[in-house]
Amino acid sequence: VVASNFEQVRAELEAAVPVRGVSPSLLLELNDPLRKTLKSLLRSGSMTLAELATSLGIDGEETLAVADLMVRAGFVRHEAIDADGSPVVRIVHAKQATRPDSAAAYWSQILNEG
Amino acid sequence: MSKIISIHSFRGGTGKSNTSANLACLMALEGKRVGVVDTDIQSPGIHVLFGLEPEAMRHSLNDYLWGLCDIEEAAHDVSSHVGITSGPGRVFLIPSSIKAGEIARIIREGYDVGLLNDGFQRLIEELELDVLIIDTHPGVGEETLLSIAISDALIIVMRPDQQDYQGTGVTVEIGRKLNVPQMVLLVNKTPEAFDFSEVKARVESTFGAPVVAVVPHSDEMMVLASQGVFVVKNPNHHIAGLYRGVARALLE
């Protein structure tokens, strides 16, 4: 039995370890259509629920449940409404992790010596 | 609609920044408004090709990422520096800081990748850009992955040697995973002794992606020593013709 997009996306989101925002490297660990959707969100910033449904290939009535799971995973946040009155989700960006301590230590040493 | 083009190589020293500068100038000479962002924050250098002295940098990408200025305030119109003085085309450079303390700070503290993305979009709007070229840091990092993820086109620059072959495979795989609409390879610094059509066929067959140009190693380019942009100084050179073909393929 082939899982529907909704079942696949729901399973992936329920299994996801919650994060504080989407980092570009996270995309490499996800599967389509979730990866494709988050990639679009990286560029556009936000989507209406209708756009989210189209991007994920799911039915309209399933979208709110998926959006809630995406919020719980730390990928997006709900925004009240856009200018047309449609609910939207906005991507949450992760702050880039700092470089390994060794790199920071290396630079500190150079600066201290300089 | 504006086009975002990322220029990347897995390893350093492939001629990535030279490729970015040459393509930016050729597109500007075709009348396009082109932005070039130096996201190689840890080892910036493309400003040298555009003749932008560090003391002339009012603001840098670092300042924007720290909230000290708007991104367009870090944009420097370098068209006249490289000899583009007529026509509607322009080149705007957004340099990274060349100050050791500022490089160290951004390595230590990190930055908001989302802010970088917002900055790209704002640059396109505020400067009315036709093309935004992102000169990336070699290897794989968050800023590089972001650049690839949001690009309409990705040029992977490589040299025809075994280390580059393996590293390029990684970048091609990432480009595929991130569904970049147009992904091409540019083989650079090719020794004249090589059979160029064989190199092209081998690379295309290895990576399953088109090669837009096989550019020879050039003593003339080495002699220029980054003091200017090659295609502007040598518009009739064979290599300028190769880059012109790449620029047209990307603008199609």
Side-chain angles (χ1 to χ4, degrees):
Chain A
V1 177
V2 178
S4 68
N5 276 9
F6 171 65
E7 289 162 346
Q8 184 194 318
V9 170
R10 184 175 63 181
E12 191 165 5
L13 286 168
E14 284 177 344
V17 177
V19 291
R20 289 184 181 177
V22 175
S23 60
S25 57
L26 176 71
L27 297 184
L28 298 175
E29 296 168 17
L30 300 173
N31 298 299
D32 285 337
L34 189 55
R35 173 168 58 207
K36 181 168 73 82
T37 300
L38 286 174
K39 187 193 140 181
S40 298
L41 272 167
L42 266 183
R43 186 157 175 174
S44 65
S46 65
M47 279 184 184
T48 64
L49 290 187
E51 288 167 339
L52 184 65
T54 303
S55 180
L56 291 170
I58 60 178
D59 291 337
E61 58 266 29
E62 298 164 340
T63 316
L64 197 54
V66 168
D68 286 342
L69 286 171
M70 289 174 76
V71 170
R72 196 190 308 167
F75 298 165
V76 297
R77 65 172 188 267
H78 283 299
E79 284 199 349
I81 49 171
D82 70 2
D84 301 326
S86 312
V88 300
V89 289
R90 178 165 295 280
I91 193 161
V92 177
H93 291 286
K95 181 171 181 177
Q96 187 195 16
T98 53
R99 303 286 171 188
D101 287 346
S102 57
Y106 172 72
W107 275 103
S108 294
Q109 185 185 345
I110 287 178
L111 292 173
N112 290 335
E113 285 172 359
Chain B
M1 184 175 164
S2 306
K3 192 162 193 177
I4 299 180
I5 300 171
S6 281
I7 301 187
H8 184 64
S9 63
F10 189 79
R11 297 177 65 231
T14 57
K16 182 169 48 65
S17 294
N18 258 300
T19 301
S20 302
N22 279 295
L23 292 177
C25 287
L26 285 169
M27 289 172 180
L29 288 167
E30 292 277 322
K32 305 294 184 191
R33 292 174 66 83
V34 185
V36 180
V37 185
D38 188 355
T39 62
D40 194 352
I41 294 173
Q42 297 162 71
S43 47
I46 198 171
H47 59 279
V48 177
L49 292 161
F50 287 114
L52 182 64
E53 298 293 338
E55 55 271 22
M57 289 181 195
R58 299 178 308 276
H59 286 294
S60 65
L61 183 63
N62 305 54
D63 292 330
Y64 163 70
L65 292 171
W66 290 322
L68 300 175
C69 70
D70 290 328
I71 185 87
E72 61 271 22
E73 291 179 84
H76 299 72
D77 186 342
V78 291
S79 314
S80 61
H81 296 207
V82 289
I84 299 172
T85 51
S86 60
R90 287 282 175 280
V91 179
F92 300 94
L93 174 66
I94 295 82
S96 278
S97 173
I98 197 69
K99 295 173 184 166
E102 294 185 355
I103 295 171
R105 180 181 164 195
I106 211 144
I107 289 172
R108 192 173 58 245
E109 295 179 2
Y111 60 88
D112 186 338
V113 173
L115 206 55
L116 192 60
N117 184 41
D118 292 345
F120 293 157
Q121 306 302 334
R122 187 174 167 106
L123 273 176
I124 289 170
E125 283 176 23
E126 293 295 320
L127 301 178
E128 298 177 342
L129 298 178
D130 298 300
V131 180
L132 181 70
I133 291 177
I134 306 172
D135 185 33
T136 63
H137 181 65
V140 180
E142 292 290 3
E143 64 273 27
T144 298
L145 291 171
L146 171 75
S147 304
I148 294 174
I150 64 163
S151 287
D152 300 296
L154 168 64
I155 305 180
I156 305 169
V157 183
M158 62 175 287
R159 288 163 301 194
D161 71 42
Q162 279 309 312
Q163 289 187 60
D164 274 18
Y165 267 94
Q166 289 197 2
T168 298
V170 174
T171 311
V172 168
E173 191 183 338
I174 289 171
R176 290 224 169 87
K177 270 197 158 185
L178 295 177
N179 307 108
V180 181
Q182 184 183 17
M183 179 166 61
V184 296
L185 298 155
L186 187 149
V187 185
N188 204 12
K189 301 186 177 181
T190 311
E192 293 280 5
F194 282 25
D195 178 335
F196 282 32
S197 53
E198 189 183 303
V199 169
K200 181 175 189 292
R202 184 178 167 201
V203 171
E204 287 185 337
S205 138
T206 302
F207 300 114
V211 169
V212 277
V214 179
V215 180
H217 167 80
S218 162
D219 284 342
E220 290 111 310
M221 203 178 262
M222 297 299 286
V223 168
L224 187 59
S226 298
Q227 293 180 334
V229 179
F230 188 80
V231 297
V232 180
K233 292 193 177 279
N234 304 273
N236 299 317
H237 195 283
H238 168 61
I239 290 178
L242 289 173
Y243 279 125
R244 207 167 282 123
V246 176
R248 286 189 182 138
L250 291 168
L251 290 174
E252 274 173 4

